[in-house]
Amino acid sequence: MFFKALSVYRLEPDWLQQLPPLAEALAEHPVPPMTALSLEVCGWSPAVLAADDAEQITLLRDYRNVPAAAVRRQVAALLSEREAQQGHRAGRRQIRAIKEEVLARMTPSVPVQRADYQAVVDRRAGLLLVNTATAARADAFTHEIRKVLGSLPATPLKPDRPMQYLLTRWLAGAELPDVFHVDRECQLVAPDETKATVSYARHALEGHDIDQHLRAGKLATRLAMTWRERLSFVIDDQVRIRKLQFLDSMRIAENRDELDGDAAEQADLTLMVGELRAFVAELATAIGAESR
């Protein structure tokens, strides 16, 4: 599966050299069974795909989505009943106990759902590439890896200047390396307390209205771009990538020609890792993070 988003971390070379094959480490940490009262459990898929000195790993999350509105209704009804019996308002401790009672009653009947989250550990490039642009999800993923491996010296890509400044300069047509091109989507935010925000989608970004916003001092916090006509994406001011698309569909088709099953998945991983490896290297150079 080709990634649709990207959170990029650099890994320490010395740590990577001592890292055992991930299939061995993750096999000891499968998804534990859900109990009747469990709301969430996490574990690792035993299927670790390896190709081109990289491994694709999958975190599995089993969870129950207990409807919050239904919980609130039942808590309110039970709370009203208890207060009527007691003749006084319930305190915080009793309200918390009532909520726990309602959850214990409702949880066993809620069906268990499963979500999966992928990442690639690229040993050659020294990168951890997580298939998400959500900070909380990326943090949760790295937390679960750290629990298994004992440590994870992972550092997000950091620009040498504020990313909003770089995105704004690129939008204005300055300092953008030749391998990148501005596309048709952006978000601009005023740097004052109003945080006035304007967004453009499927819109030419060379017009007078964009210039007016930039002259008024608004800063770009998201910008759609293409890289070498091979990847399109939206990058934000935290150097997280959304709407990632691999544009070279002919190469992808040729890469999978007459392949199926594990062979096709390995071919996809090889192509994806090769593209992302080169893309991240040139992105790091563009933002001044290549020496960090």
Side-chain angles (χ1 to χ4, degrees):
M1 181 190 74
F2 288 86
F3 286 4
K4 303 292 174 102
L6 215 55
S7 293
V8 181
Y9 300 86
R10 282 215 172 98
L11 299 171
E12 288 186 4
D14 292 343
W15 179 84
L16 267 177
Q17 288 180 359
Q18 301 176 26
L19 183 65
L22 290 175
E24 298 177 7
L26 300 182
E28 300 177 8
H29 299 270
V31 183
M34 292 276 281
T35 67
L37 298 181
S38 296
L39 292 175
E40 176 181 298
V41 294
C42 290
W44 294 93
S45 167
V48 175
L49 192 62
D52 197 21
D53 209 18
E55 294 147 294
Q56 181 172 311
I57 58 178
T58 303
L59 178 67
L60 302 175
R61 173 175 168 257
D62 288 349
Y63 64 97
R64 289 186 173 97
N65 191 10
V66 182
V71 171
R72 286 195 297 269
R73 284 195 300 270
Q74 293 203 26
V75 168
L78 193 53
L79 180 60
S80 177
E81 179 183 323
R82 298 280 171 84
E83 288 179 342
Q85 293 172 352
Q86 296 166 178
H88 60 81
R89 294 180 65 84
R92 291 183 180 178
R93 184 176 299 177
Q94 187 178 12
I95 293 173
R96 185 165 55 249
I98 289 173
K99 184 175 181 180
E100 291 173 354
E101 180 182 340
V102 169
L103 281 172
R105 185 189 306 163
M106 294 180 64
T107 297
S109 63
V110 177
V112 176
Q113 302 179 67
R114 168 162 287 186
D116 57 83
Y117 311 97
Q118 287 81 32
V120 164
V121 176
D122 184 348
R123 294 173 184 259
R124 184 184 304 175
L127 296 173
L128 171 65
L129 308 173
V130 186
N131 184 18
T132 183
T134 305
R137 190 170 293 171
D139 290 344
F141 196 100
T142 55
H143 173 72
E144 293 297 327
I145 299 178
R146 193 172 285 112
K147 282 167 56 178
V148 170
L149 302 178
S151 65
L152 182 69
T155 306
L157 286 185
K158 294 186 182 299
D160 62 351
R161 289 176 287 180
M163 197 64 192
Q164 288 187 1
Y165 171 84
L166 289 174
L167 294 179
T168 304
R169 294 282 292 167
W170 294 349
L171 178 59
E175 300 183 18
L176 184 62
D178 291 342
V179 296
F180 293 97
H181 298 281
V182 171
D183 214 330
R184 295 168 56 82
E185 179 177 338
C186 74
Q187 178 176 277
L188 300 165
V189 178
D192 56 26
E193 65 278 359
T194 68
K195 299 298 179 187
T197 301
V198 59
S199 298
Y200 291 87
R202 299 181 296 279
H203 190 285
L205 302 183
E206 301 89 7
H208 177 66
D209 50 347
I210 297 289
D211 289 340
Q212 280 189 315
H213 287 302
L214 295 179
R215 287 187 180 132
K218 287 190 176 68
L219 298 173
T221 56
R222 290 189 186 181
L223 186 61
M225 307 179 74
T226 58
W227 170 75
R228 292 188 177 274
E229 305 301 328
R230 284 151 55 184
L231 294 179
S232 68
F233 59 96
V234 174
I235 186 168
D236 69 14
D237 56 355
Q238 301 301 311
V239 202
R240 298 191 188 274
I241 306 293
R242 294 171 169 78
K243 300 184 180 180
L244 179 63
Q245 291 187 343
F246 293 77
L247 302 177
D248 201 344
S249 57
M250 185 171 294
R251 285 182 63 208
I252 294 172
E254 290 174 353
N255 201 53
R256 295 180 120 261
D257 189 32
E258 298 182 359
L259 297 177
D260 52 23
D262 291 343
E265 290 181 352
Q266 281 194 313
D268 286 347
L269 179 60
T270 299
L271 177 58
M272 182 177 75
V273 167
E275 293 289 85
L276 294 182
R277 191 178 279 160
F279 164 67
V280 170
E282 294 192 334
L283 176 63
T285 300
I287 68 174
E290 73 278 0
S291 61
R292 290 172 180 258

